[in-house]
Amino acid sequence: MVHPRTVFLMYHELELPGRPLCQSEPGYVRYILLAHDFLAQMERLKLANWRGVSVTSALRFQDTHSVALTFDDGCETDLLTAAPILHKLRFGATFYVTAGFLGRRGYMSPAQLRELSNLGFEIGCHSMTHAYLSDLDDAGLYREVVEAKLQLEQTVGKPVEHFSCPGGRYSRRVVEIVRDAGYRSMATSLANGNSPSTDSFELGRIPVMRETTLHAFEQLYRGQALWKVSLQNAARDSAKRLLGNSFYDRVRSLILHRRKSANTSSTSH
Ligand SMILES: [Zn+2]
C-alpha cells in the first residue's frame, strides 16, 4: 500500500491592519497572508476535522488527517497573531527562526521567542543571516547552520532539531552539514507531500501565498493539485539556474514591481 503523503505548509509573516511589515518588496509581500485569511484557513482545517501539527509530530506519519504547519523567518506575528489562533484550535506548529534577526524591528525578541517555545510550539532554525546556503563555503555554512542552532538552543533552552533553507536554496554539501550538525530534518521548497519513504533531509513544503484562495488552500493541505505549485517552482528554478541567485532576485523584483504598477494602472479599484 502506498502511504498517503502528509503536506507540510509554509507560512511567513502575517499582516495586521496598521502594522508595517518587516519588508515591503513585492517578492516578499506575495508570501504574506492577511491575518484574517490565515484564521479562515485554520478554521477550515478544524471544520474538516483535520489537525495542524509540528514537524516532529508530522514525521511520525501516524495521522492521515494532519498537516504540518511551518513558519519561516521568526517575525513578531508568529507570537502575536499565529500562536493565539493555533493555541485556541489546539494545533501544533514549527517556527523556523532566523537567529540573527532576533530583536530587529518586526521580528521576535529573544524573550518573545522563549514565550513562543514555552507555549508548546516547536522552534526550528532558518539560518543565522538568511543567506542563500548554496552560495556559501564551509565556514559560511558552519555559521549559518551550526552557530545558529547553538544560539537558538541557548535562547529557548531546548534542542533545536529541524532546519529550513532560506529561499529554498541548498546543495549536497548543505545537506551534509545540516545532518552532521545534529538536526533531524531539513525542509526545502520542493512542492511535494512527504511520506515515511521521503528523505527527511529533503522534505517538501508547499507555500501558502497571499493570493491563495480558500478553495486552493483546501486542495493544498489535502495534497491535491500540487503539480500546479511544482510547475510554478520549475519555472522559477530554471530562471535561477540561468541567472544566478542574486541576479535572479534583482530581476524578479523588477518584474514584480512592473507587474504591480501595470495592475494598478489597468484596474480601477
Ligand atoms: Zn525565509
Side-chain angles (χ1 to χ4, degrees):
M1 187 194 119
V2 180
H3 197 283
R5 290 181 165 260
T6 300
V7 167
F8 288 44
L9 295 174
M10 169 170 57
Y11 291 97
H12 293 82
E13 186 174 19
L14 298 172
E15 185 173 338
L16 292 167
R19 182 182 178 278
L21 295 174
C22 290
Q23 295 178 43
S24 57
E25 309 87 80
Y28 178 83
V29 176
R30 49 205 287 267
Y31 286 95
I32 307 307
L33 271 71
L34 300 173
H36 66 78
D37 286 341
F38 175 73
L39 171 64
Q41 292 176 2
M42 295 302 106
E43 286 177 335
R44 181 61 66 99
L45 270 182
K46 189 76 176 181
L47 208 64
N49 271 322
W50 277 61
R51 240 159 38 95
V53 299
S54 68
V55 167
T56 291
S57 168
L59 287 175
R60 293 189 195 114
F61 298 106
Q62 282 168 344
D63 181 5
T64 51
H65 282 60
S66 67
V67 57
L69 302 175
T70 73
F71 295 77
D72 278 2
D73 298 350
C75 296
E76 212 181 6
T77 54
D78 289 358
L79 176 70
L80 302 182
T81 317
I85 292 172
L86 299 171
H87 194 73
K88 193 168 160 224
L89 297 173
R90 296 171 184 273
F91 285 172
T94 297
F95 293 88
Y96 293 110
V97 174
T98 309
F101 287 2
L102 288 174
R104 283 200 198 172
R105 185 195 66 81
Y107 295 88
M108 284 183 284
S109 67
Q112 286 177 312
L113 179 63
R114 259 192 305 279
E115 196 181 334
L116 186 65
S117 170
N118 289 339
L119 285 169
F121 293 107
E122 182 165 65
I123 306 303
C125 180
H126 191 52
S127 84
M128 183 68 89
T129 69
H130 210 272
Y132 293 153
L133 303 181
S134 49
D135 295 344
L136 301 181
D137 61 12
D138 277 6
L141 283 176
Y142 183 84
R143 180 171 158 70
E144 299 291 338
V145 173
V146 182
E147 286 181 12
K149 181 180 199 286
L150 296 175
Q151 187 180 316
L152 291 172
E153 287 176 340
Q154 247 167 23
T155 306
V156 299
K158 291 176 199 159
V160 169
E161 301 181 308
H162 303 284
F163 188 85
S164 75
C165 301
R169 269 63 149 203
Y170 69 101
S171 62
R172 280 291 111 206
R173 187 69 188 133
V174 172
V175 175
E176 281 168 19
I177 292 196
V178 169
R179 199 189 292 263
D180 290 350
Y183 290 98
R184 290 173 46 210
S185 83
M186 184 182 94
T188 68
S189 311
L190 297 168
N192 307 322
N194 301 307
S195 75
S197 58
T198 307
D199 181 347
S200 33
F201 289 89
E202 222 168 1
L203 293 174
R205 259 188 331 157
I206 315 294
V208 185
M209 313 287 289
R210 192 179 186 86
E211 76 246 23
T212 304
T213 61
L214 214 45
H215 174 69
F217 172 74
E218 206 144 51
Q219 289 187 311
L220 290 184
Y221 77 75
R222 292 172 188 270
Q224 296 158 355
L226 296 183
W227 59 270
K228 284 189 200 163
V229 186
S230 292
L231 217 59
Q232 285 157 4
N233 285 356
R236 190 193 60 198
D237 288 348
S238 65
K240 265 186 230 166
R241 259 197 306 279
L242 286 172
L243 304 173
N245 278 335
S246 60
F247 186 65
Y248 162 79
D249 279 343
R250 285 203 304 276
V251 171
R252 185 179 75 153
S253 163
L254 272 174
I255 293 172
L256 288 171
H257 269 296
R258 200 166 294 156
R259 206 182 284 162
K260 197 179 165 200
S261 44
N263 285 347
T264 334
S265 56
S266 63
T267 50
S268 53
H269 55 267

